[in-house]
Amino acid sequence: MPRVEEQGACRWLITGRVQGVGFRPFIYRLARELGLNGFVRNRSGTVEVVTEGDASSIEAFAVAVQQQAPSLARPTITSREKIPAGFHADFRILASSVSDADIHIPADYSVCARCYEEMQDLSNRRYRYPFINCTECGPRYSLIKAMPYDRAQTTMSEFTLCGACRAEYENPNDRRFHAEPLACVACGPALWYSEPGRAAIHGNENALADAVAQLRDGLIVAVKGVGGYHLMIDARNERAVARLRIRKHRPHKPFAVLFPVMDNLIALHKAVITDDLALSALSAPDRPIVILPKRRQSRLADCIAPGLSQLGAMLPYSPLHQLLLQDVGGALVTTSANISGEPVVTEPEEAETLLANVADGFLHHNRPILCPIDDSVVEPCATKTRAIRIGRGLAPLELQLPRPISSPTLATGAHLKNTLALAWDNRVVISPHIGDLDSRRSQAVFARTASELQRLYDVRAETVICDTHDGYASTRWAKGCGLSLQRVGHHQAHASALVGEWPEDTGSWLVFTWDGVGLGSDGTLWGGEALLGKPGQWRRAGSFRPFRLAGGDRVGREPWRSAAALCWTAGFDWNTSSMAKEAWQKGLNCHETSSAGRLFDAAAAMIGLTEMASFEGQAPMWLEAIADPDIPALPLPLHRDAERIWRTDWAPLIPFLMDGRQSPAARAGLFQASMALALVQQALRIRAEHGEINIGLAGGVFQNRLLVEQTLGLLDEQGFTVRLNEQVPCNDASISFGQIIEALYGDF
């Protein structure tokens, strides 16, 4: 940019994360410090600034905008133009204006350190106020009605500011200037507590006291948070956690634990193993659930994460959570208050209806949640933190496209772990986690999210993309929505989602897309593929020996079916009913697959870990948890089939997996190591033919941390450049983003 001469004036447009993060007060104070006149104001999604003054001050302003912005802000100066000077006597913050949309939705952020200190200060008027916030913290996305981000366009418009709050809100030098969720006990949201058969308890302290008493007594309390309700219970009470499992019909799926921040996180450190990377993730403004190794001895109930070596841990992100932890005096199991796989519950009446047979009591508040959003989940792996589920604090997740898309496009994603993606120009926004689309309620939230994304960003989709599987609810919705339709293969979307995160890496890619199952381009169920090429030009270069599975949709929850199929395919016995084998032999309700995920299911069943799973991914998770990482791999046969696809044969693993003379840990370790080696062997063969390639690991199987770290070590020894999904989950939550990237380059 050319330097401004002597005296002058500039008009700036600043985009990125600049609304809901205290950016206008920052600009105001910066301009005043530099002696500049002019104004700052919000537009629909950008910030407009006019500066008048000395050339050196204007240049200093340009530098400071980038280097000194609030910690939550991510500003980008997209336009700077000279304008005539002399029209402004001082610097002001003007009312927001509506303009052509360049909208960036702020995420929900955790309570900041300064608000936390005020909440603990007996002399402060917000002492123990459960909804304290400022411009650097508090809810955003969950309460936005429309942009620009002003109080009148949030659910906080229902609460009229008292005189003290109004003074803070209108003072540009106050850190609560235009903190849109601003409130206090005199004018803001409030708590109430209810139980069946009792009159509701109103008032923040009284409601909190009743909820805390119930939690201390081992009872289950549904608590309304930032993006929806959680079910909470004392994490140290074994019987209480077991009761929650029975009532929620969740016998094995792990629960997350909310740890207090007092006493230097002593409760956290006694329960899980942390390092700098983990602590950084735990304390980030998005405050996700972080998956960490469990300690063998802790005061937590054993049944929080049965059969697993890891635990989902998080720190309080709302003032209400902090007060609950402080008053209970220990960690709390904190799990989404929903029917398994469905979106989170947000309304008091809905919560008391849907959770009547689960919760003993309900801690409600009257701040409306317009956009439901679940907690984010991340995992430290191989020196990086990667997303497992994008939710509160991370979503809506905005990424830049490597080039503009031809028309505004809505991608509908997969059937499980669903997200949506909306793309226009060179931008793509991925929705928060919606969940599995098996129920009518999930499908209703899916449809509402599709509409809300377009409304909030003021973008109307002209094209819709869906998976090639006609059985997906997302596919059925796309086919019936009336937009121009494109279809993208499941595993091509996985591969393109990974490449889309690494646009700077040029050349050919070999992306291993290992997951449960997805419809392949040949009509079979893929799941253990190596796709060679780049977005829009993938071809299948590697896979596993195919096998025939019986049982349809039941296969994912019945690992014995995968074990039986492998045994029967390879000529081994499997102890099950003769009718099941006869049906398999006749091909009744059978589908051919190359799924790596089903190989992990089968291994868990053969070892004796589980033949029936109560949640998706249980068998592979238990397999990973017991695996001995020091067991050497069994090299597996690799051959090229008639279609010139390199196929790994899993059959030699079966005798080892079923050898009861070996410990389960040794057998699980051998299987994991052998799968990692098999991947590297395929990569070496394909590189030998096609030259240097970038390696990607995509698909839900690669949530297995041990598998990833073993594979990365072997690939590094062979000189490969390897990439993982980081911002976008490797599981089916990435499919919507991958559909966008695939369409961007594909020839449809």
Side-chain angles (χ1 to χ4, degrees), residues 327-388:
D327 292 357
V328 170
L332 294 169
V333 164
T334 305
T335 186
S336 299
N338 58 1
I339 307 303
S340 184
E342 288 191 356
V344 66
V345 176
T346 60
E347 297 300 323
E349 297 80 7
E350 180 186 39
E352 294 200 13
T353 299
L354 290 179
L355 304 170
N357 297 320
V358 181
D360 297 301
F362 298 84
L363 185 59
H364 302 296
H365 64 71
N366 60 343
R367 183 176 66 200
I369 298 171
L370 190 64
C371 302
I373 189 163
D374 217 328
D375 294 318
S376 295
V377 182
V378 304
E379 181 179 26
C381 179
T383 74
K384 298 286 183 67
T385 299
R386 54 180 185 158
I388 302 298

Side-chain angles (χ1 to χ4, degrees), residues 537-738:
Q537 300 179 30
W538 297 113
R539 71 178 183 86
R540 198 182 188 195
S543 188
F544 285 95
R545 175 184 175 180
F547 54 100
R548 197 168 69 244
L549 271 173
D553 292 339
R554 292 180 294 172
V555 169
R557 295 293 182 91
E558 300 180 10
W560 73 265
R561 293 182 179 275
S562 296
L566 294 187
C567 287
W568 294 335
T569 300
F572 294 91
D573 291 329
W574 180 260
N575 184 24
T576 190
S577 71
S578 58
M579 291 179 60
K581 185 172 184 179
E582 184 177 350
W584 179 84
Q585 289 172 329
K586 293 180 178 179
L588 300 178
N589 194 25
C590 285
H591 303 277
E592 186 174 277
T593 186
S594 53
S595 168
R598 298 294 171 253
L599 295 180
F600 279 80
D601 283 348
M606 291 179 190
I607 290 171
L609 299 180
T610 181
E611 293 191 4
M612 302 290 290
S614 64
F615 68 93
E616 192 220 356
Q618 177 185 345
M621 289 169 70
W622 283 13
L623 188 76
E624 177 190 3
I626 69 160
D628 183 341
D630 297 322
I631 301 298
L634 173 68
L636 299 176
L638 181 63
H639 73 281
R640 190 172 228 170
D641 68 11
E643 297 176 344
R644 300 185 63 77
I645 298 170
W646 288 103
R647 299 269 188 181
T648 296
D649 187 356
W650 36 260
L653 289 169
I654 294 177
F656 289 89
L657 292 171
M658 298 182 69
D659 185 358
R661 297 170 299 178
Q662 303 295 321
S663 71
R667 287 181 278 165
L670 178 137
F671 176 80
Q672 295 255 155
S674 300
M675 292 293 284
L677 180 60
L679 184 152
V680 176
Q681 289 175 329
Q682 287 190 13
L684 288 170
R685 291 293 183 94
I686 294 167
R687 182 173 67 177
E689 291 182 275
H690 298 280
E692 290 301 316
I693 46 179
N694 302 308
I695 301 292
L697 307 180
V701 167
F702 292 112
Q703 287 180 194
N704 183 320
R705 180 175 177 174
L706 176 58
L707 174 70
V708 168
E709 291 179 344
Q710 288 180 327
T711 303
L712 290 177
L714 293 172
L715 288 168
D716 183 66
E717 290 175 1
Q718 299 298 331
F720 286 102
T721 298
V722 189
R723 300 299 189 193
L724 304 174
N725 292 101
E726 291 182 11
Q727 296 183 78
V728 179
C730 65
N731 56 45
D732 279 6
S734 71
I735 293 296
S736 61
F737 176 55

Side-chain angles (χ1 to χ4, degrees), residues 267-304:
L268 172 78
H269 292 305
K270 285 184 175 180
V272 294
I273 299 171
T274 62
D275 56 17
D276 289 344
L277 182 63
L279 291 172
S280 176
L282 283 162
S283 59
D286 44 283
R287 289 288 171 92
I289 297 170
V290 183
I291 300 174
L292 297 172
K294 290 195 297 187
R295 292 196 182 276
R296 292 185 178 181
Q297 301 292 330
S298 80
R299 295 186 61 194
L300 300 184
D302 290 336
C303 62
I304 288 175

Side-chain angles (χ1 to χ4, degrees), residues 95 105 162 176 178 180 239 266 476 522 529 630 726:
I105 305 293
C162 67
R176 289 192 167 91
H178 274 269
E180 309 307 348
R239 293 179 63 184
I266 188 170
R476 295 194 298 269
D522 61 357
E529 317 316 313
D630 297 322
E726 291 182 11

